[in-house]
Amino acid sequence: MKYYGDLRSFITALDEMGDIMHVHREVDGDFEPSAITRRSYEIQSPAPLFHKVAGVAPGFRLFGAPAALSSRSDMPYARVAMSLGLAPESTGPEIIEALSAARFKPGIPPVRVESAQAECQQNILRGAEANLDRFPIPFAHDKDGGRYANTWGTLIVKTPDGKWVNWSIARVMKVDGKRMVGLIVPSQHIGQIWTQWVARGEPMPYALVQGPAPAISCVSGIPIPANADEADYIGTLAGEPVPVVKAISLDLDVPATAEIVIEGHVSIERDCQEGPYGEYGGYLGEGSSAQPTFHVETITHRHDPIWPMSITGRPTDESHTLWAMGLAADALTYLREAELPIKTTWIPEDSTVHWLLVVMPENWRERLPGVSSEALTQRIGEVLFKTDAMVFIPKVYVVDDDFDPTNLREVVWALSTRVHPVGRRAVFEDQRVIRLPQCYDEAEYVAGKGAKVVFDTLQTKRHLHASFAQGYPEDVRQRILDNWPE
């Protein structure tokens, strides 16, 4: 296992395992980098690194699909695992266990270094020079409201009293060279902090960090408890403190090895239209909403900087790998804290974060004596739907552990044969609903409330599978394997 302290060493490691696609020809500055990245997701190719983008200075690069499925079929989650300092062959459930376990360990706070030691401040742009037009920011999709300046970067903000520093990912659209507009959801952590600044009547200081250590990008995109500092959690995953440096113009610390840092303030009003944007559900966006303006005041960057991007849409991109794993780890943590004997949790990539599987071990009835599967299903829903992260998940399936939840073919088989057409489910009415999940109607989006469901697919008696593994004697199977593929 190895922790990569900056984006460049991570790209080098991916390149050595054949998981980088170098694009040396000049690509246009509008759609071509995004379209290539989107196709790379859909055919599971190596991650594209664009060395020459029209309209920007030589040396400025784009990097797509940083945490998507790997092109290596023998290690499909390698990009996510390596980002977090885990072995590239780690399975999805192993990654989820690591994310959940780190929440119970003491955090390792970041360590501040001097500006001269911080690669992110090799170049400092102020005033008119601090302009987004010099960077290769493409359109993500042709129906989007503008170029999206943030799809895989980390937004750093803190409460006015300085007690809580939040590192998160939120989509941010470029308006012009000096302005951006970001989606600020009140229930999310960045929205809670922005609301505190609004109450004071002061614009919120922010730093938008592009291309930090991969673990920073990953952790910024997953749920951890409010008032917990992501930097400390990342230190725990890395086993070492994150090096940070004081921002040039703000009282914020930023990752010292980042590629690019944009500094400024966020307006106290929703005074600019943001969107539409093609989101993780797999559909092109429609409509826009009034959101706060991010004013650009100072920009720092490394020599020949790399701007990473996630082009969300149909599976499988970072929303369906890293973010889904983070949501599953959050669910696993809360269910185990409720003393339920959960084996693992999993969000199938192809469900676009609309399904959560809660996997029960074969002996769960012995560990929960007197508890029926109906009561267990109800309890799981009661625990999960109180958590913030589950606002994104409308459907939960409680399943046995006799199949591989990360294998979509097995998931479809199990759910198709075990979900009752009418009964065996717990419906939770009037749950929080936001617009990102695709399965609700307009009235529910307007009300902010809708139903969620937990399906009970647990077998009262486990049936043997008509499969190679379970349908034949062991000696026959071994003889066939020894002679395969004669």
Side-chain angles (χ1 to χ4, degrees):
M1 296 191 296
K2 176 177 172 56
Y3 176 73
Y4 298 95
D6 70 352
L7 181 61
R8 299 183 185 203
S9 61
F10 173 70
I11 290 174
T12 297
L14 291 181
D15 201 11
E16 290 172 350
M17 58 187 282
D19 201 26
I20 293 291
M21 175 173 61
H22 293 276
V23 182
H24 289 287
R25 69 175 176 84
E26 183 176 88
V27 293
D28 70 50
D30 295 326
F31 297 112
E32 204 169 5
S34 302
I36 291 170
T37 300
R38 180 101 288 276
R39 186 167 193 269
S40 79
Y41 293 127
E42 295 173 11
I43 66 172
Q44 206 167 324
S45 80
L49 178 63
F50 303 93
H51 293 267
K52 190 176 183 181
V53 182
V56 298
F60 283 33
R61 292 165 287 171
L62 280 167
F63 176 48
L69 290 175
S70 171
S71 61
R72 291 279 302 268
S73 59
D74 56 332
M75 47 183 71
Y77 303 109
R79 292 183 208 167
V80 176
M82 292 166 65
S83 294
L84 299 170
L86 302 174
E89 63 272 14
S90 298
T91 66
E94 286 171 345
I95 295 171
I96 288 171
E97 287 288 348
L99 291 172
S100 179
R103 287 173 55 161
F104 297 97
K105 298 176 183 177
I108 299 178
V111 59
R112 182 184 281 188
V113 300
E114 297 300 320
S115 181
Q117 301 172 277
E119 292 96 332
C120 71
Q121 294 179 352
Q122 289 173 339
N123 299 272
I124 300 173
L125 308 173
R126 297 182 173 91
E129 282 197 318
N131 193 305
L132 297 173
D133 292 340
R134 66 173 62 227
F135 294 95
I137 304 172
F139 287 92
H141 320 89
D142 71 349
K143 305 298 184 186
D144 289 350
R147 300 175 187 274
Y148 268 79
N150 194 47
T151 56
W152 194 242
T154 294
L155 281 163
I156 299 179
V157 299
K158 69 178 176 181
T159 53
D161 61 12
K163 293 182 179 179
W164 177 21
V165 179
N166 178 243
W167 293 11
S168 65
I169 293 180
R171 73 188 200 205
V172 180
M173 187 181 84
K174 177 186 174 184
V175 178
D176 54 38
K178 298 294 289 183
R179 293 180 301 157
M180 303 180 290
V181 56
L183 181 63
I184 301 291
V185 179
S187 62
Q188 293 181 335
H189 293 169
I190 190 172
Q192 296 171 26
I193 294 174
W194 178 71
T195 300
Q196 293 186 32
W197 285 97
V198 170
R200 288 169 61 109
E202 298 178 23
M204 178 177 69
Y206 79 91
L208 174 54
V209 180
Q210 298 292 348
I216 295 174
S217 301
C218 288
V219 171
S220 298
I222 66 175
I224 67 172
N227 298 302
D229 286 352
E230 283 81 3
D232 296 11
Y233 178 80
I234 294 161
T236 299
L237 287 172
E240 60 187 55
V242 175
V244 295
V245 64
K246 185 181 182 302
I248 296 296
S249 61
L250 305 170
D251 184 24
L252 290 173
D253 286 342
V254 299
T257 65
E259 296 288 327
I260 303 160
V261 179
I262 302 166
E263 305 175 12
H265 288 79
V266 182
S267 64
I268 63 174
E269 296 179 348
R270 297 182 184 271
D271 52 6
C272 192
Q273 289 294 308
E274 184 273 336
Y277 179 72
E279 266 291 359
Y280 68 90
Y283 300 92
L284 291 173
E286 298 178 2
S288 62
S289 62
Q291 298 295 338
T293 301
F294 288 63
H295 295 279
V296 177
E297 296 159 12
T298 304
I299 301 177
T300 69
H301 65 84
R302 294 178 70 152
H303 301 321
D304 298 330
I306 303 171
W307 190 296
M309 58 183 183
S310 172
I311 308 300
T312 52
R314 287 177 54 174
T316 303
D317 57 56
E318 287 74 18
S319 298
H320 317 123
T321 55
L322 182 278
W323 185 47
M325 290 182 189
L327 293 174
D330 191 71
L332 180 66
T333 301
Y334 282 111
L335 289 171
R336 286 181 175 169
E337 285 182 337
E339 299 183 344
L340 296 175
I342 310 300
K343 183 171 183 177
T344 190
T345 51
W346 185 251
I347 296 174
E349 294 101 47
D350 292 85
S351 78
T352 62
V353 199
H354 285 61
W355 295 357
L356 170 71
L357 306 185
V358 177
V359 183
M360 302 301 298
E362 186 170 9
N363 68 346
W364 73 265
R365 288 179 174 84
E366 298 170 21
R367 297 168 66 178
L368 294 173
V371 176
S372 65
S373 65
E374 293 82 0
L376 175 64
T377 298
Q378 180 71 28
R379 179 60 180 147
I380 286 172
E382 290 170 352
V383 172
L384 290 179
F385 294 139
K386 291 178 182 177
T387 67
D388 290 335
M390 286 299 293
V391 70
F392 298 100
I393 308 289
K395 301 161 192 167
V396 178
Y397 297 85
V398 186
V399 300
D400 291 300
D401 67 350
D402 63 332
F403 68 95
D404 179 1
T406 71
N407 183 316
L408 184 63
R409 177 177 293 178
E410 295 191 27
V411 170
V412 172
W413 166 72
L415 298 188
S416 299
T417 58
R418 300 176 190 180
V419 173
H420 191 278
V422 179
R424 297 188 63 196
R425 68 193 67 188
V427 178
F428 294 78
E429 303 285 356
D430 296 325
Q431 299 298 307
R432 286 184 301 157
V433 164
I434 59 176
R435 286 192 176 270
L436 290 173
Q438 297 285 331
C439 55
Y440 294 100
D441 59 36
E442 183 61 24
E444 290 170 309
Y445 291 129
V446 171
K449 290 185 177 181
K452 300 196 173 187
V453 61
V454 184
F455 292 93
D456 172 11
T457 77
L458 296 169
Q459 303 169 90
T460 54
K461 175 186 177 182
R462 294 208 174 183
H463 301 283
L464 290 175
H465 304 173
S467 65
F468 178 77
Q470 295 187 20
Y472 307 93
E474 182 178 357
D475 63 323
V476 173
R477 287 187 281 118
Q478 191 59 54
R479 186 162 63 250
I480 290 171
L481 292 174
D482 290 342
N483 289 281
W484 194 268
E486 286 185 9

